[in-house]
Amino acid sequence: MLTNVELEILNSDLSIPDVFQKSAKKYYELKLTHFKPLIWNYNFTLELSDIFTQLVLVPTKEKQLRTSETSNRLESMRGEQRKELKSLDDLFKPGVTGLSTAPRCILIEGEAGGGKTTFLSKEALDAVSQKTELGRRHDIVLLIRLREVREGETIEEMVWDQCVPETVDIEAQAIRAILKRNKSHVLFLLDGYDELRPEARVAGQAIPKLLSGKMYPNSTIVITSRPSAGVQQYTRPDCNIHIMGFSKEHVEKYIRQYFTVVGKQELTKALAVQVKDNNLLNTLISTPIFLMFVCLLWEENQEMVSTGTMTGLYNNLLTCLVRKYCKREGVDMPTEGLPTEVAESLLQLGKLVLEALLRNETLLDLTEVKRENVDWELLLTLGVVSLEDSSSKMHPRKQLNFSHKTMQEFLAARYVAHALLNQDIVELLQLTSISKALELSNLLQFTCGCDSRAAQAVMEELSKISSREFTHLQPEHFEHSNVPIDRNMRKSCKTYKRFASLCLTILGERQEPEVVQGISQALPIVMLYSSVNSREATALKYYIQNLHSANLPDRLILKIRGGTDSRDTVQYLQQCFITSLPGLKVNLTLSVDSPDETARLVLVLKNVPGLRALDLSCTHLTPSSLQPLVQGFSHMSLLEELDLSENDDLGDAGMEVLQVGLFKVPHLAVLRIRYVGMTAVGMSYLASCMHHLVGLKELDISDNPIGDTGLESLTAILPIFTAMQVLVLAEIGISPTGMRTLVPALCQLTRLIKLDISYNYAIGDLGLECLAAILHHLKTMKVLVLYSTGISDRGISSLIKALPHLVELQVLDVSYNDIGDSGIVSLVQTLCQPSSLDMEQNPPGDKSLTTAPHCNNTLQELNIRWNSGVTGAGLGRVAQLISALPALTGLNMSGDDDTPAHLPDTAAMALAEALPRLPALEQLDLQYISMEPAGFQAVVQAAEEHPTLEELWYTIRGVPEGADTTASCLLLARL
């Protein structure tokens, strides 16, 4: 509601909103239309429309639809598909985003120099001119540079400060009135969350409140940031966009444009050829700022372009600028190094720049620069900085700006490398943790690139930090897991992957044996998750080529996907493994497209006798292309994992080829052949040659139509696999007859921790009764998946009798069945009762535990969704019981799509009261459920206040009219 004062402001002069909007439009046009990307070349002026950065929409897991269709399940297995966007207009097309409503928050991420600021400036210009869907949907467009925001500033003060010219007489209170009146038609363009001061991004400050929806909840927000800067702390973006930089076409366009402006069009073709043939250079120039530097250096001296490193590129750029300065000023340029006066000024600047970076500031106040007696006028003349007035009226000042933040980081790194002669790196950089190292990743890369001694010092310190923070991680933590992974462990793995990437990037900047040694100490597990054309891949190749038996990692994990051509992949591996590395344990995931490439791969793997895991899933394998691989198994005798899944052209003929090779890999512990087109015939081929695989721990043959006949072939040999822990038999056509064949064999698998028989709807109650009768033999079971197996209350009653024996159960999935209220409530009641082991250790007569209620402390995931007989009454009873499962991290109690369940207020309130008593809960799924306003708000509020709950799923059509849906954890799925 508007206050009386605000209403007075608006009523006193109805033209104020119009004046505000028109003045903002003119202000943007004046400030943003033209810019000079080269601060040392004032003749080079561009319009924002000349700069285009290709966008890629990354579908986040939160926004993927959840359906029971097999095709969708297989698609999710194959990984997310990235969709290229021509503009942000595409985000308002439901067919692109999967959203039924317009997105409220759009996060645009990109690495340094990727063009985020330039892109957002263009969006502001286009929006105020209503050239885009964003502009047509919003009356007010507000572009706010977050680096200018100070602690305690209100949104209205930011708008007055940055969006209104000084010539317009309008106050912050009037702005507040305008924004509140137009609350659903305001577009906030927030640039550079990673540059927002730490004190301005804590809870309760204006930007966090805006992001979380506590202020202007109906407005639209587009926010840019470097990855992992923490935007998600306050909001869960509806769309997550990555700026991927220039496409090949736009690279050529920019090169032509640059050399046309400087009048040297003849240089265009030669640079285009150089760029095309240089993979590393190719990865750099997709970033606009780097392409600009490459053009400048090519114009000056073509040999200065092919440095192979970011540090080399920036060093050459600095040398180029100094030479131009010396030529202009008539100063002698030394044959090596820089003129003394210039070198000293740059080091002084580097010290100030470093201090600013550690304060998360990207600009230098001229007053501070003068106070330190830095020759700033010389720096201006050189072109490494420019002098400008701040865009803030509240904090007016003269300041030194850089062509880009990476230039600031480079200059700081030069100082760090110099200062390390007398200072400790921890003292210089406050380098005390992995998170700090990742925050300073560019600075560390440049520092190592500047000096060998500095590189050694950095790697030594990173090794110390790594040994403190990652001692608990093992290679298996980074591979497919069949049981729930601890939240902290998932976080550690994610952090380690980023840290490993940083270490490889450092090696790319300084390819020296000493850095290889440093990486061996810092990274017990070396990994690559990218294409072979990346900078990390180039560094990894050098690392492998310089490995010695004394410094081998615990494991080398290579996952080479990302659209890499399979021929390039195999060629890359040939260059990596030139000689044999017998002690190196390798996990390899890649694609091959033909028998010839498979044969080349086999030759490469002769030099990797320690190959432990080979994943060739989704690689279009055929029986003929599988043939050379199978022949090569003789060189992979230590292979422990083989994944050929989702190669449906293999068929039975492929299994006939495979059976010959399995004799050559006696240590195989994991075999995944999901969705390979195998029938009962193919299963009989495999079964006939698996007798020697006595150490097999995991077998996945799901999504193959083998039927009961094929199952008979398997069950005949299943008892010999006494080490079996994971058995996945989903969607293979099992009937009750098949279950009667299977269960005697299952009795022998006493170490089984996961059994998945989902998508076998014919199993029904009779089949489940057979299974339930022998579950007491499988006391180590942790994961039981009965998804879509045709069971009803009768089948569940047999399972309930067996559940007390499963004392280690962590995951139970009985979704997509015909269970009713009675069965579901009885199931949950049983799960909430003490386990048989608990009862043995603490008999009912034991008075010592009278104040501590018994509960199941192992169950982490419970999925009871989409059961046709479950109503709101049953779910309400579940809500009353569920708090007795304190270890739950995931709970899915969604209703049935055909007959959505209604949860009355009493049941919803019970669920809201239960959430605080589920301290580990991370995901709650309540799709296809309806609630009254009070109950809905109570559940949402409890979820929002929950310390670990990240996702509350709900369907749009179930939201009560007028309900507040701004909670950051609330994810609304379309129908």
Side-chain angles (χ1 to χ4, degrees), residues 658-933:
L658 180 61
Q659 68 169 339
V660 179
L662 289 182
F663 290 104
K664 304 173 185 177
V665 284
H667 300 287
L668 200 66
V670 176
L671 177 61
R672 301 189 186 106
I673 45 175
R674 179 184 66 248
Y675 192 60
V676 294
M678 173 177 63
T679 70
V681 174
M683 189 68 247
S684 66
Y685 289 145
L686 284 183
S688 66
C689 67
M690 293 175 64
H691 293 83
H692 67 292
L693 299 179
V694 293
L696 199 64
K697 294 181 178 180
E698 177 178 342
L699 177 63
D700 184 349
I701 59 169
S702 57
D703 296 311
N704 290 296
I706 67 171
D708 290 341
T709 304
L711 190 60
E712 285 183 21
S713 300
L714 175 64
T715 53
I717 61 164
L718 204 54
I720 69 172
F721 303 129
T722 55
M724 184 74 73
Q725 294 182 343
V726 176
L727 184 60
V728 183
L729 305 175
E731 199 168 6
I732 62 171
I734 306 177
S735 74
T737 302
M739 287 300 294
R740 283 192 289 271
T741 304
L742 176 64
V743 293
L746 288 178
C747 289
Q748 311 301 313
L749 308 184
T750 55
R751 298 182 184 179
L752 203 64
I753 64 171
K754 177 178 179 177
L755 176 64
D756 183 349
I757 56 173
S758 58
Y759 283 99
N760 291 291
Y761 196 78
I763 286 176
D765 293 332
L766 291 176
L768 182 59
E769 287 172 355
C770 293
L771 175 63
I774 58 98
L775 283 180
H776 63 279
H777 291 290
L778 308 177
K779 294 181 180 180
T780 59
M781 185 80 72
K782 294 182 179 180
V783 179
L784 181 58
V785 184
L786 304 173
Y787 183 109
S788 191
T789 49
I791 56 179
S792 67
D793 284 358
R794 173 183 167 180
I796 278 294
S797 64
S798 63
L799 176 65
I800 287 171
K801 295 174 184 176
L803 278 179
H805 298 289
L806 303 182
V807 294
E808 296 184 33
L809 193 65
Q810 296 179 13
V811 178
L812 178 62
D813 188 340
V814 296
S815 54
Y816 283 89
N817 284 300
D818 301 318
I819 309 169
D821 283 345
S822 175
I824 284 295
V825 171
S826 297
L827 174 69
V828 176
Q829 282 178 327
T830 303
L831 290 170
C832 292
Q833 290 172 358
S835 68
S836 59
L837 178 64
D838 190 13
M839 292 296 289
E840 290 172 11
Q841 294 176 345
N842 303 288
D846 186 349
K847 304 299 182 181
S848 64
L849 294 179
T850 53
T851 58
H854 291 295
C855 57
N856 186 314
N857 287 305
T858 63
L859 194 68
Q860 297 182 40
E861 296 179 15
L862 176 62
N863 193 337
I864 59 174
R865 65 173 168 164
W866 284 44
N867 272 286
S868 58
V870 174
T871 68
L875 292 179
R877 181 65 181 134
V878 168
Q880 294 172 341
L881 296 167
I882 207 68
S883 59
L885 300 174
L888 275 184
T889 60
L891 172 61
N892 192 328
M893 47 192 289
S894 298
D896 189 325
D897 184 18
D898 295 328
T899 55
H902 180 74
L903 219 56
D905 276 349
T906 51
M909 296 297 180
L911 179 58
E913 291 172 5
L915 292 186
R917 296 195 288 271
L918 299 174
L921 195 65
E922 298 175 17
Q923 186 179 68
L924 174 62
D925 199 325
L926 301 176
Q927 292 184 73
Y928 304 106
I929 288 176
S930 62
M931 289 187 248
E932 300 298 331

Side-chain angles (χ1 to χ4, degrees), residues 607-627:
N607 286 334
V608 193
L611 186 70
R612 291 300 197 270
L614 181 60
D615 182 350
L616 295 174
S617 59
C618 306
T619 59
H620 312 292
L621 281 174
T622 63
S624 60
S625 61
L626 183 62
Q627 188 80 46

Side-chain angles (χ1 to χ4, degrees), residues 270-410:
L271 178 56
V273 171
Q274 173 73 11
V275 164
K276 183 179 180 181
D277 296 336
N278 188 319
N279 282 338
L280 185 59
L281 197 58
N282 247 310
T283 61
L284 287 175
I285 61 166
S286 63
T287 304
I289 191 72
F290 297 145
L291 177 57
M292 181 181 67
F293 291 164
V294 167
C295 289
L296 175 73
L297 291 173
W298 191 258
E299 176 191 0
E300 182 71 15
N301 182 340
Q302 296 182 8
E303 293 182 0
M304 300 177 78
V305 168
S306 302
T307 65
T309 66
M310 281 180 61
T311 310
L313 185 66
Y314 276 67
N315 265 324
N316 287 346
L317 176 63
L318 185 60
T319 301
C320 177
L321 295 178
V322 174
R323 281 179 183 170
K324 288 178 178 290
Y325 160 79
C326 290
K327 186 175 180 180
R328 287 195 309 267
E329 303 296 323
V331 177
D332 290 335
M333 178 73 182
T335 53
E336 290 187 11
L338 304 176
T340 303
E341 180 186 12
V342 172
E344 290 177 354
S345 295
L346 287 172
L347 285 176
Q348 286 179 302
L349 176 65
K351 182 176 183 296
L352 294 180
V353 163
L354 174 63
E355 293 168 354
L357 279 174
L358 296 177
R359 296 193 302 267
N360 199 38
E361 295 176 2
T362 56
L363 299 167
L364 294 181
D365 191 318
L366 186 59
T367 304
E368 181 183 349
V369 174
K370 289 179 178 178
R371 187 184 305 122
E372 297 295 327
N373 296 317
V374 177
D375 191 347
W376 60 274
E377 291 176 326
L378 170 61
L379 299 172
L380 286 177
T381 307
L382 284 173
V384 295
V385 292
S386 62
L387 182 63
E388 62 178 42
D389 293 318
S390 68
S391 59
S392 168
K393 298 193 294 291
M394 288 197 294
H395 313 286
R397 64 199 181 281
K398 296 284 186 182
Q399 56 196 15
L400 296 182
N401 194 9
F402 300 87
S403 56
H404 193 266
K405 188 176 181 180
T406 49
M407 177 58 79
Q408 183 185 12
E409 290 165 325
F410 168 68

